[in-house]
Amino acid sequence: MAVLQAVVHSAWLLPVLVLMIAIDGPVPMLPSETLLMTAAAVAFTDGDVPLLAGLFVAAVVGSLAGDLLLHALGRTSNRLIAAPSEGSGSGWVRRHVLTRPGTVLVGARFVPGGRLVSTAAAGRFGLPLRRFVPWSAASSAAWAAYMLVVGRVLEPITGGNPLLCVLGAGVLAVLTAGAFAVVRRIVRGRSGRARTDRPAPAEAPRSAGTGHETQRLPVREDSGLSGSPSSG
């Protein structure tokens, strides 16, 4: 408890958050979201407006830095993006990242694992930085605002207790991931049934001249050649 209080009120909180959120792009295993939501809940409890503003800026800067790193990695590596299956989220990203980058980069940010897939795909398929950076900044700002809203929701539930905030953020993350997994399973099931129920295309009729059956042509008999040879 004392350690969490010290971390949340530490002068190193914002620089550490920037670093963790940036690294969380290619290595999505760091508890950056949990720390951000916990710090936001504590800041709302204390009424610390400067800390809330600092958390928002740190989240945006760290997210944008991580996105640029993922974009660069996507241009130089094929391992970040798995081969998409039909109807999968990664397949949808690959089909639309160049034509609808705003929808892909902002929308995928709120899907578990979506940041990694969308930003790496943007680099892999050649989305230029002049188009990538504005949408990355917009998605980072939207995500940072969302994290602060979650912290505000947790504040009356946890009373600003850092330990309860950590537990609440963890439970919320699990519920969110589970909800997205259920939705994805339902969508895949419907798309699979649609493909199964789709009638097979009718076979085009074969023309008489191209059929596989052997046609017998009538042979006209010649009286001078058809008979057996005379005995002379």
Side-chain angles (χ1 to χ4, degrees):
M1 180 69 176
V3 174
L4 289 175
Q5 287 282 4
V7 170
V8 171
H9 294 93
S10 171
W12 290 97
L13 173 64
L14 298 182
V16 169
L17 262 178
V18 171
L19 184 62
M20 289 181 64
I21 293 172
I23 298 176
D24 192 47
V27 187
M29 294 179 291
L30 299 178
S32 57
E33 292 187 354
T34 302
L35 180 58
L36 178 58
M37 287 185 286
T38 300
V42 173
F44 276 114
T45 301
D46 297 340
D48 195 339
V49 176
L51 179 57
L52 287 171
L55 290 173
F56 178 80
V57 173
V60 172
V61 172
S63 178
L64 182 57
D67 286 357
L68 290 172
L69 177 60
L70 277 173
H71 186 275
L73 291 175
R75 294 176 60 184
T76 58
S77 175
N78 296 333
R79 297 182 179 182
L80 291 178
I81 308 175
S85 58
E86 182 68 24
S88 67
S90 60
W92 180 85
V93 167
R94 295 181 70 163
R95 290 192 300 271
H96 296 91
V97 68
L98 295 180
T99 57
R100 299 159 60 188
T103 302
V104 171
L105 294 175
V106 177
R109 178 61 62 105
F110 298 94
V111 178
R115 179 192 182 191
L116 172 62
V117 174
S118 61
T119 51
R124 180 71 183 90
F125 299 109
L127 184 68
L129 286 175
R130 68 178 182 276
R131 298 180 63 197
F132 173 78
V133 172
W135 286 117
S136 174
S139 66
S140 298
W143 173 79
Y146 170 72
M147 288 291 104
L148 295 185
V149 170
V150 173
R152 182 67 181 88
V153 172
L154 289 176
E155 185 268 331
I157 299 175
T158 62
N161 186 309
L163 181 58
L164 294 180
C165 288
V166 170
L167 294 177
V171 170
L172 183 62
V174 171
L175 292 177
T176 302
F180 275 109
V182 171
V183 172
R184 184 179 301 175
R185 183 181 295 272
I186 293 174
V187 171
R188 286 182 177 178
R190 289 182 177 177
S191 61
R193 287 195 298 269
R195 289 194 302 270
T196 303
D197 297 339
R198 188 181 305 165
E203 184 179 357
R206 294 178 298 181
S207 61
T210 58
H212 294 288
E213 296 181 0
T214 303
Q215 295 184 347
R216 295 184 179 181
L217 299 177
V219 178
R220 186 174 56 186
E221 295 184 357
D222 192 313
S223 59
L225 297 177
S226 60
S228 58
S230 62
S231 56

